[in-house]
Amino acid sequence: RWCGQPVAVLRMAKADCGAEPALCVQAGRSPNVVKCFGLTDDGTRVQLISELAAHGSLDNVLMVAEDRGAPLPSPVLLEIALQSAMGMQ
């Protein structure tokens, strides 16, 4: 929890993260992207602290639907694509 709000913490080796932390901090300003609250860097590991997504990560939601043999309906996929594109603005 951060300021009373549930958060997600992504931990990764600094060598593996590339530009992802900086991009998340920048993209977190968009209303269509999970907000990034900050990151820590101890020289070897990076921790990215972000808003907790209610339904988990998008890739997990898509994989679970596919694994169940019930892919998401086209209108839902279209909404995901639209919000993803809006997040890239």
Side-chain angles (χ1 to χ4, degrees):
R1 292 183 101 41
W2 182 73
C3 294
Q5 181 173 353
V7 296
V9 179
L10 174 62
R11 295 179 180 101
M12 63 187 106
K14 187 171 184 172
D16 297 335
C17 68
E20 185 176 359
L23 290 172
C24 289
V25 170
Q26 183 179 11
R29 298 184 188 120
S30 169
N32 297 301
V33 176
V34 172
K35 289 177 181 52
C36 179
F37 297 122
L39 60 95
T40 64
D41 179 349
D42 69 5
T44 58
R45 295 193 59 78
V46 173
Q47 296 185 99
L48 184 63
I49 299 98
S50 67
E51 175 181 23
L52 185 65
H55 300 289
S57 65
L58 177 57
D59 64 332
N60 188 53
V61 169
L62 295 171
M63 286 186 345
V64 167
E66 186 176 320
D67 289 347
R68 279 193 234 148
L72 297 174
S74 294
V76 172
L77 293 172
L78 184 58
E79 182 65 25
I80 289 170
L82 178 61
Q83 287 187 22
S84 296
M86 290 170 66
M88 290 183 216
Q89 289 183 349

